[in-house]
């Protein structure tokens, strides 16, 4: 093995080792804290149906349309 092959092998080993070390640090780093989930106010009980079901109004808050459905337990 000549000197140039030896130095080339050492350089390749250093590059691969540094890449694996960086990859390991990236995979082990702690994840950022997620913010708490805030409930959305896109549902509202607007009436009763036959004293046993709630009439619920729903909107997606991006349009001016409302949809209604019954919530019978």
């Amino acid at each position: 093995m000549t000197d140039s092959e030896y130095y080339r092998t050492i350089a390749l080993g250093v590059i691969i080792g540094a890449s694996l070390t960086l990859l390991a640090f990236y995979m082990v780093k702690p994840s950022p804290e997620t913010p708490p989930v805030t409930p959305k106010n896109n549902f509202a009980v607007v009436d009763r149906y036959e004293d046993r079901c709630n009439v619920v109004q729903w909107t997606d808050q991006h349009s001016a349309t409302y949809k209604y459905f019954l919530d019978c337990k």
Side-chain angles (χ1 to χ4, degrees), residues 41-47 54-60 64-70:
N41 297 329
N42 49 350
F43 291 99
V45 176
V46 293
D47 201 3
N54 290 329
V55 178
V56 179
Q57 179 185 41
W58 177 83
T59 181
D60 64 359
T65 60
Y66 295 99
K67 296 189 177 18
Y68 297 89
F69 61 91
L70 293 177

Side-chain angles (χ1 to χ4, degrees), residues 10-56:
I10 294 294
L12 185 62
V14 168
I15 291 171
I16 290 174
S19 298
L20 290 176
T21 302
L22 288 174
L23 179 65
F25 281 132
Y26 177 75
M27 297 300 279
V28 173
K29 75 177 182 177
S31 62
E33 292 184 23
T34 56
V37 177
T38 57
K40 295 183 179 178
N41 297 329
N42 49 350
F43 291 99
V45 176
V46 293
D47 201 3
R48 297 275 300 159
Y49 177 73
E50 293 184 357
D51 291 331
R52 60 187 175 103
C53 297
N54 290 329
V55 178
V56 179

